[in-house]
Each structure stands twice: as C-alpha cells, then as structure tokens.
C-alpha cells in the first residue's frame, strides 16, 4: 500500500476518534446540563407551588404540580397527603382529574403499607376505570397484602387482560389462588411466572407445595430436594420433603431431610419446631428413642406446650426403660404377635396353652387360645390394642360380641393405655377383664425376648 495513502487513512481514523470523544463529551455535558435544568425546574416548580399553597392550602394549581413531582420521584410519603387532598377537592373542581387523584392516592397508600386506605381509594378509581391495568394491579396488591386473597384474584386477572406483557402479575395471581386453596388453578400461573423468571425460588416452592396438595407429591419432591440448600426456602423444603418421605414409609430419607433442615440457622422458630417434632417421631419410628426424647426436650425448652410433646416424652422415657413395652407399641407385626403369645404364656404359666387362631387387624390383634390346667380347661379370647390412649366402651362391646361368635368362655382386653369408665362398667357381670397399661407393664417386664 502507498505510504501516503496509509498516512492519510491513519489521520482519518485519528480525526474520527477525536470527533467521537468530543461528541461523547458534549453529549454527557448536555445530559448533565439537562439533569441540572430538570432539577432546577423541579425546584422552581416546588417553590412556586408552595407559594400558592401558602396563600391557599387547597389551591389545585399548587397541589397538582407538587403531586406530579413527588409521585414521579416515588416520594410516596410526601405525595400521599397531596393526593388525599386532591381526591377530596376533585368532586367539586373540574380542573382536577378525579381518576388520577384516586389512583395515585391508592398507589401511594399501597407503597406505604396503608392497605385499608389503599383499597378505599383504588375502589373509587375502579368505579371510574374498571379495566385499567394500574387500578386492577394495585387494588389486587392491596387486597393481597391484606390477606384478602379471594378479592385479589379477579383484580390480577383483569390486570393481565389489560397488559399481558406485564411482569410479576402471574406470580401474585398464582399466590392468591394458592393461599385461597385453589391449588390446581394456581399451577398454570406459577408456570407462567417461572417462564418470566426461571430463577424465582418463591414461585418454584409455592408451585411444588401446590402440587403436593393436589396429590402430585412424586413430582413436587424433586423440587423440594433441589431447594433444600436454599437459605430462604431450604428449611421449608426440607420439612415438605420429610413429610413426603415419612408418608411413603421412607423414614431414613425423612430423617436426612429433617437433619438438613435443622442446619438452616436463619429459619423461623416455628419451622424449626415443626422439623424437630417430625424428626423426633422419625427417630422413634427407627427405634432411636434416646435421640427422639432429647429432641423433644429441646422443643419443650422453647415451647413447653408444643403439641403433645410432654405426653410423648413421658411415653418414650417409659419405653426406654421397658424394652417389651417398646416392642408392644412400635415394633413390626411379627415381633408384636410373638410378644402377645409370650404374654398369654406368662399369664397362664404352669398351664398348657394351645393357640387356635391369630387375627391381626389395623387397630388390634385377636388371639384365640385353649387353656389346659389340672383343674379346668377353657377357650379364652385375647384382644391386644396397640395404643397408649383411651379405649371406649364401643370397642369392649364389639369384643364381647366376638367372644360369643368364637364361643370363648372368657376374654381379656389388653391396652398400653386405659379404658373409659363406661368400658369398665360394661364388664360387670360378664366373663371379660380389662388389662390396662400398669398391669400390662408388670407382665411385660417378666418376659424375656
């Protein structure tokens, strides 16, 4: 290339670069000047408005420009009293835009968490413009923040119709439906919200919880497992995952969920208590009584009346001292039946016992036995209730009827809890006895497994 031409091109580039810098500098200077002028203009408008209001505090010529500036700059606390005054004056003054006054008053109220005032102002604006986006969005927001979720739903629906491209509305609509227990209806809204923002953990958690409520726990569990480490939604996700795994009988996975949940130190106290309570019950389910009792005691230190913690502590402390009582209440069916057979043998030690039948029901287990002694022989029916609560007369009546069906001469109802006074009264004059927790425990302590 000719050196002259090359020099010419270089000079051209330099000139262009210099011009570009000058244009950029002038543009910045112009923008800076424009901002200063705007700031100066706003200051002048505020001074002029205040001069008018000093003469007449209700002068729209002073209130309107002042409100415009405060509202545009999001000075909600300053804009609120201005539009409060304008909305009152608008009824008798045609120079004041009624819709703008009520709408902006409502928006300021919502932003200032004055929800009752916001609902009142936006309701007035809604009567003038029932299809506008801002009216419906902010009225829905005020209702949502006031936990009036049913009222918020139609507002957010109309806001979406008015401005389908607006972001964040689907999330609020989904949450309003979710909190109104319209779980199925909320799911499409949460999916739309996640299309707008795939990183929205709030929408993700609420959608998974709604899926659980709709019986799609196997789909929701994947989301909860994904959210377990999250600092905001992690603890609640661990609780939800633990409840799902507990329900499906996977106690080891539930324990892992709950233990991870307790590592979230910033979780709300109520969430931690619920996780601890459910974790303790899982520990009992895998026969780790010591850990379960320790956890319940830590709950009691925070809230001594939390659910049935005190009763569970008493129950499982006793179980830890009586291995057979522990088997009676919480072991598998096979070990339980073996223990019941040994109970019968211990009760009639020195006699010959022949088991005729064993019937395992969800609430109790019936064992029919022939008892032979040197002096007598009888058919005896035993009904073992696997409960530590109170058993009523109805169950005892049912047992007596079954005795007659199997032609048992005598019967025993055994429970790790107690029987009602009516149940005891029913046994009077009948060949059946009630064995409650204290007497059961005495026999169980004599049995070796």
């Amino acid at each position: 290339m000719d050196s002259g031409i090359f020099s010419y091109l270089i000079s051209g580039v330099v000139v262009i670069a210099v011009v570009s810098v000058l244009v950029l500098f002038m543009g910045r200077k112009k923008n800076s000047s424009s901002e200063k002028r705007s700031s100066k203009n706003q200051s002048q408008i505020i001074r002029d408005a205040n001069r008018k209001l000093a003469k007449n505090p209700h002068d729209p010529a002073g209130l309107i420009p002042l409100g415009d500036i405060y509202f545009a700059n999001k000075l909600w606390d300053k804009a609120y009293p201005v539009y409060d005054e304008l909305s009152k004056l608008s009824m008798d003054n045609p120079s004041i835009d009624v819709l703008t006054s009520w709408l902006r008053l409502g928006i300021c109220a919502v932003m200032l968490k004055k929800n009752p005032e916001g609902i009142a102002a936006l309701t007035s604006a809604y009567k003038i413009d029932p299809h506008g986006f801002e009216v419906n969005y902010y009225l829905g927001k005020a209702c949502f923040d006031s936990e009036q979720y049913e009222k918020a739903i139609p507002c957010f629906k109309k806001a979406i119709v008015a401005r389908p491209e607006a972001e964040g509305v689907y999330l609020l609509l989904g949450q309003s439906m979710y909190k109104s227990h319209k779980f199925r209806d909320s799911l499409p809204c949460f999916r739309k919200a996640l299309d707008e923002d795939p990183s929205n953990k709030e929408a993700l958690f609420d959608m998974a919880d709604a899926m659980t409520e709709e019986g799609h726990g196997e789909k929701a569990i994947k989301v909860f497992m994904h959210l377990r480490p999250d600092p905001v939604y992690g603890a609640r996700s661990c609780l939800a995952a633990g409840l799902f795994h507990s329900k499906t009988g996977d106690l080891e996975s539930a324990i892992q969920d709950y233990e991870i949940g307790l590592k979230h130190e910033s979780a709300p106290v109520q969430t931690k208590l619920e996780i601890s309570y459910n974790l303790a019950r899982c520990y009992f389910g895998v026969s780790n009584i010591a850990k379960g009792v320790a956890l319940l005691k830590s709950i009691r230190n925070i809230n001594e009346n939390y659910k049935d913690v005190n009763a569970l502590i008493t129950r499982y402390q006793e179980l830890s001292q009586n291995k057979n009582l522990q088997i009676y209440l919480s072991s598998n069916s096979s070990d339980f039946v073996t223990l019941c057979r040994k109970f019968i043998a211990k009760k009639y030690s020195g006699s010959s016992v022949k088991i005729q039948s064993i019937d395992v029901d969800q609430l109790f287990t019936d064992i029919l036995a022939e008892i032979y002694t040197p002096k007598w022989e009888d058919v005896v029916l035993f009904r073992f209730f696997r409960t530590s609560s109170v058993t009523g007369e109805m169950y005892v009546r049912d047992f007596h009827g079954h005795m007659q069906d199997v032609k048992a001469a005598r019967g025993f109802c055994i429970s790790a809890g107690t029987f009602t006074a009516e149940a005891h009264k029913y046994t009077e004059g009948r060949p059946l006895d009630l064995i409650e927790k204290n007497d059961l425990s005495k026999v169980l302590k004599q049995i070796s497994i």
Side-chain angles (χ1 to χ4, degrees):
M1 179 183 293
D2 186 275
S3 59
I5 295 174
F6 181 77
S7 300
Y8 176 77
L9 290 173
I10 291 295
S11 301
V13 170
V14 171
V15 169
I16 291 170
V18 171
V19 169
S20 299
V21 170
L22 287 171
V23 168
L24 181 63
F25 175 77
M26 292 300 292
R28 285 181 179 175
K29 187 174 181 181
K30 185 176 180 181
N31 288 339
S32 176
S33 299
S34 177
E35 288 173 5
K36 287 180 180 178
R37 196 180 309 116
S38 175
S39 176
K40 186 177 180 181
N41 288 344
Q42 287 191 8
S43 299
Q44 184 60 48
I45 291 169
I46 291 171
R47 281 196 296 272
D48 291 343
N50 284 327
R51 267 197 297 270
K52 292 174 182 176
L53 293 173
K55 297 177 182 177
N56 177 10
H58 309 294
D59 187 353
L63 291 168
I64 292 172
L66 200 60
D68 287 340
I69 290 174
Y70 289 154
F71 190 86
N73 288 280
K74 300 180 180 180
L75 301 173
W76 313 118
D77 56 332
K78 292 184 177 181
Y80 180 83
V82 173
Y83 287 108
D84 185 36
E85 181 64 23
L86 283 171
S87 62
K88 293 172 184 174
L89 296 172
S90 64
M91 300 301 176
D92 302 315
N93 194 322
S95 68
I96 301 172
D97 188 314
V98 181
L99 174 60
T100 300
S101 300
W102 285 116
L103 176 61
R104 290 189 175 183
L105 175 62
I107 293 173
C108 290
V110 171
M111 302 307 292
L112 293 169
K113 306 297 182 186
K114 297 175 180 285
N115 293 312
E117 293 87 345
I119 291 173
L122 290 163
T123 299
S124 296
Y126 181 89
K127 291 175 182 177
I128 303 169
D129 181 20
H131 303 292
F133 171 79
E134 288 186 314
V135 171
N136 282 286
Y137 175 79
Y138 284 104
L139 182 54
K141 186 75 167 61
C143 291
F144 182 89
D145 292 343
S146 301
E147 299 182 4
Q148 298 179 41
Y149 305 117
E150 292 280 0
K151 293 181 179 179
I153 291 171
C155 295
F156 290 133
K157 284 182 175 179
K158 292 183 79 171
I160 289 171
V161 171
R163 195 179 296 173
E165 75 282 2
E167 293 187 0
V169 189
Y170 276 108
L171 175 60
L172 288 168
L173 176 57
Q175 288 178 323
S176 298
M177 291 175 169
Y178 168 75
K179 292 177 184 292
S180 300
H181 297 170
K182 301 178 189 291
F183 301 113
R184 182 177 298 179
D185 294 337
S186 73
L187 292 174
C189 298
F190 287 132
R191 292 190 187 100
K192 287 272 192 180
L194 287 167
D195 287 341
E196 292 175 0
D197 180 9
S199 65
N200 191 322
K201 304 276 182 74
E202 186 176 16
L204 195 60
F205 177 86
D206 288 347
M207 184 180 72
D209 203 37
M211 285 193 292
T212 302
E213 294 289 348
E214 279 297 298
H216 304 303
E218 68 285 349
K219 294 180 181 179
I221 190 64
K222 296 176 183 178
V223 179
F224 291 133
M225 297 290 283
H226 170 71
L227 288 173
R228 285 194 314 183
D230 187 78
V232 178
Y233 296 97
R236 290 167 62 194
S237 296
C238 288
L239 176 59
L243 291 172
F244 174 82
H245 285 134
S246 296
K247 190 175 180 180
T248 57
D250 188 357
L251 295 184
E252 292 296 341
S253 293
I255 288 171
Q256 185 182 55
D257 294 328
Y258 294 137
E259 287 178 342
I260 293 173
L262 290 179
K263 292 178 182 177
H264 287 280
E265 296 181 0
S266 60
V269 173
Q270 196 61 30
T271 302
K272 284 186 176 180
L273 287 175
E274 197 166 351
I275 291 174
S276 298
Y277 177 81
N278 285 284
L279 177 57
R281 294 182 73 90
C282 286
Y283 282 146
F284 296 143
V286 296
S287 300
N288 195 336
I289 291 178
K291 270 192 171 182
V293 169
L295 205 51
L296 290 177
K297 286 182 176 178
S298 71
I299 294 173
R300 187 169 64 181
N301 290 337
I302 299 170
N303 183 348
E304 59 183 11
N305 296 314
Y306 189 80
K307 294 187 177 180
D308 58 343
V309 162
N310 290 316
L312 288 174
I313 290 173
T314 301
R315 174 186 176 185
Y316 283 99
Q317 279 182 330
E318 185 174 6
L319 287 180
S320 65
Q321 297 165 8
N322 188 334
K323 182 69 175 176
N324 286 337
L325 185 59
Q326 182 179 334
I327 293 171
Y328 187 95
L329 285 169
S330 58
S331 69
N332 59 53
S333 180
S334 176
D335 290 344
F336 173 69
V337 170
T338 299
L339 182 64
C340 292
R341 294 182 65 155
K342 290 192 174 186
F343 176 91
I344 295 170
K346 176 60 69 175
K347 183 163 184 62
Y348 285 103
S349 57
S351 304
S352 175
V353 178
K354 182 181 178 182
I355 303 298
Q356 285 189 355
S357 66
I358 299 174
D359 295 314
V360 179
D361 186 83
Q362 188 175 359
L363 297 175
F364 52 77
T365 294
D366 283 349
I367 299 180
L368 186 66
E370 295 179 16
I371 311 295
Y372 299 93
T373 73
K375 296 181 179 180
W376 56 268
E377 60 182 62
D378 263 334
V379 176
V380 182
L381 181 64
F382 297 84
R383 176 164 288 183
F384 296 89
F385 289 96
R386 298 193 74 175
T387 178
S388 58
S389 58
V390 180
T391 302
E393 177 191 356
M394 179 182 70
Y395 291 102
V396 178
R397 281 181 178 273
D398 176 75
F399 173 71
H400 184 245
H402 190 51
M403 281 177 58
Q404 295 171 335
D405 293 339
V406 298
K407 297 180 173 54
R410 188 167 186 79
F412 293 91
C413 276
I414 302 101
S415 171
T418 58
F419 292 91
T420 63
E422 291 79 10
H424 280 284
K425 188 174 182 180
Y426 179 78
T427 65
E428 294 175 4
R430 293 182 173 88
L432 63 89
D433 291 295
L434 304 180
I435 297 177
E436 298 180 313
K437 178 182 172 183
N438 290 338
D439 292 330
L440 170 64
S441 296
K442 289 175 185 177
V443 178
L444 292 178
K445 284 180 180 178
Q446 300 170 31
I447 298 172
S448 57
I449 296 295

